[in-house]
Amino acid sequence: MKTIIVNQPGDVQVIERDMPVRKPGEALLKVLYGGICGSDLGTYRGTFAYADYPRIPGHEFSAEIVEIDDNPQGLKPGMVVTANPYFNCGHCYSCERGLLNCCEHNETLGCQRDGVFSEYVTLPVERLYDGKGLPAKTLAVIEPFCISYHGVSRAGIKPGNKVLIVGAGTIGTLASIAAKSKGAEVYICDLAREKVDYAVQTFGLAGGIVNTGDDQAFLKQCMDITTGNGFDVTIEAVGTPATFQNCIDAAAFGGNVVLIGVGKKNMDFNFTIIQKKELNIFGSRNALKKDFLELIDLVKAGGVDLEKIITNTYSLDDAPRAFNDFDKNAAHMLKVIIKF
């Protein structure tokens, strides 16, 4: 079978390797579509905090069940599924408290362990979720939606809240959709005007901010939008010190700040602003089983057209070009999908 591998930063290949052997409690899956996550792009660029090499990327996907034993979920060969890709240890303090998404020893497919960008993979049956008839291409985007949805859930958004999403990539745009679904007045910010305009126009957001790097101009736009108050909620979906600072600065006194983005750089800032504003700052990592189940139902009910987030589709053999194009044109591309 064919497998995509990142040998080192900037070096992606499609190689031949043996088919996986299914173990008891696992299903053999034929991968249908896989999305290139920001973490996969970071692995390609050498900027992802959790990357090592060589690495098979991929954890956003849909697949057809080829072989599976009888199971309580009622999953059978021929069904199209997605999966929870965050492997928790089961014995750390977080796991003991049921916080499986932030396991101290978490290993996410494609990050700390090899991912699913192969024609066939095996996974534990309990990690699989029935796609309930959703198109395979749509189902491949459920996992990043879960990442965004989980972060938005941490924010405690109330109807009518003014919310700023910093970052108009896939995770930020999906976070804007999730925040809007909770009744918020949502604005999105990015360096790339094209991405801001696409998110606002495609998903009916309240407005957008193009941040040119001028902090004073950025803050003035935020204050103009909120009549000088700042945003009730700000959500960081990039993973840089500058964008986290944007979220701190744009938040209202008593506001909530959520960090979804992952980065490697340290930050130096006047932390007393947290005390002065009495900010509530939340980290958001991965997602929970309930997020997957709720969002599959939400999309199935027609609440969100997830395929609008997909801007580019490549074949498996074109995977090296997909990574290179995404790297060079990230300002013009949202979700990049590989068809297996």
Side-chain angles (χ1 to χ4, degrees):
M1 68 171 185
K2 294 179 179 179
T3 292
I4 299 167
I5 190 165
V6 183
N7 293 306
Q8 59 187 358
D11 179 12
V12 174
Q13 287 183 299
V14 179
I15 64 171
E16 293 283 343
R17 66 199 303 251
D18 292 338
M19 286 272 293
V21 177
R22 185 173 71 93
K23 300 174 184 175
E26 292 183 337
L28 176 64
L29 307 173
K30 179 181 180 181
V31 177
L32 302 176
Y33 288 93
I36 299 179
C37 176
S39 62
D40 298 321
L41 183 59
T43 299
Y44 176 75
R45 289 172 166 172
T47 60
F48 183 52
Y50 305 125
D52 56 16
Y53 305 88
R55 175 64 66 217
I56 298 170
H59 55 258
E60 310 171 0
F61 74 105
S62 60
E64 179 184 342
I65 298 174
V66 178
E67 295 177 3
I68 193 170
D69 296 326
D70 290 339
N71 58 87
Q73 297 99 304
L75 300 174
K76 298 178 180 179
M79 295 176 71
V80 178
V81 297
T82 189
N84 183 325
Y86 326 117
F87 282 73
N88 60 294
C89 70
H91 58 259
C92 71
Y93 188 44
S94 295
C95 288
E96 287 177 355
R97 291 179 292 155
L99 305 174
L100 309 184
N101 62 302
C102 56
C103 166
E104 295 174 34
H105 310 291
N106 172 78
E107 292 187 357
T108 297
L109 292 172
C111 299
Q112 296 94 340
R113 61 166 64 191
D114 281 337
V116 299
F117 277 9
S118 298
E119 290 183 292
Y120 293 89
V121 295
T122 56
L123 284 176
V125 173
E126 68 268 15
R127 293 191 162 272
L128 305 181
Y129 305 129
D130 180 7
K132 296 187 175 180
L134 286 178
K137 203 170 186 180
T138 299
L139 195 59
V141 192
I142 287 291
E143 189 276 340
F145 196 13
C146 287
I147 294 287
S148 302
Y149 183 80
H150 184 76
V152 166
S153 298
R154 298 275 284 155
I157 292 172
K158 299 181 178 66
N161 279 171
K162 284 186 168 64
V163 175
L164 176 66
I165 313 293
V166 177
T170 298
I171 297 300
T173 301
L174 290 171
S176 72
I177 297 169
K180 184 182 175 185
S181 75
K182 294 183 179 294
E185 182 181 320
V186 182
Y187 296 79
I188 196 164
C189 172
D190 200 277
L191 295 170
R193 177 176 295 278
E194 185 177 338
K195 281 190 170 182
V196 170
D197 291 345
Y198 184 83
V200 171
Q201 295 166 11
T202 304
F203 299 105
L205 307 183
I209 297 172
V210 178
N211 187 348
T212 62
D214 183 334
D215 291 339
Q216 292 305 313
F218 162 76
L219 194 56
K220 183 180 186 304
Q221 291 182 78
C222 293
M223 292 303 117
D224 288 346
I225 289 169
T226 62
T227 60
N229 295 321
F231 287 91
D232 301 295
V233 173
T234 61
I235 297 177
E236 202 284 341
V238 180
T240 69
T243 47
F244 184 65
Q245 184 72 64
N246 290 156
C247 287
I248 296 289
D249 294 340
F253 281 63
N256 292 352
V257 179
V258 180
L259 175 64
I260 302 177
V262 178
K264 294 175 72 172
K265 294 182 179 179
N266 292 336
M267 181 178 180
D268 182 7
F269 78 113
N270 182 1
F271 62 85
T272 303
I273 193 65
I274 297 173
Q275 180 271 338
K276 181 179 179 180
K277 285 187 172 183
E278 197 176 69
L279 296 177
N280 305 297
I281 300 180
F282 300 89
S284 179
R285 187 179 189 188
N286 298 334
L288 296 166
K289 178 179 179 178
K290 75 177 190 64
D291 298 321
F292 283 87
L293 299 181
E294 288 174 10
L295 290 185
I296 288 171
D297 285 342
L298 175 66
V299 176
K300 176 70 175 176
V304 179
D305 183 358
L306 277 188
E307 290 202 22
K308 288 183 178 179
I309 206 78
I310 300 170
T311 55
N312 305 81
T313 303
Y314 293 80
S315 69
L316 171 56
D317 289 333
D318 276 342
R321 184 165 66 90
F323 276 87
N324 183 64
D325 288 354
F326 200 7
D327 177 41
K328 299 294 191 297
N329 302 286
H332 311 290
M333 302 166 78
L334 272 179
K335 178 48 60 189
V336 178
I337 290 285
I338 294 174
K339 183 178 181 180
F340 285 80

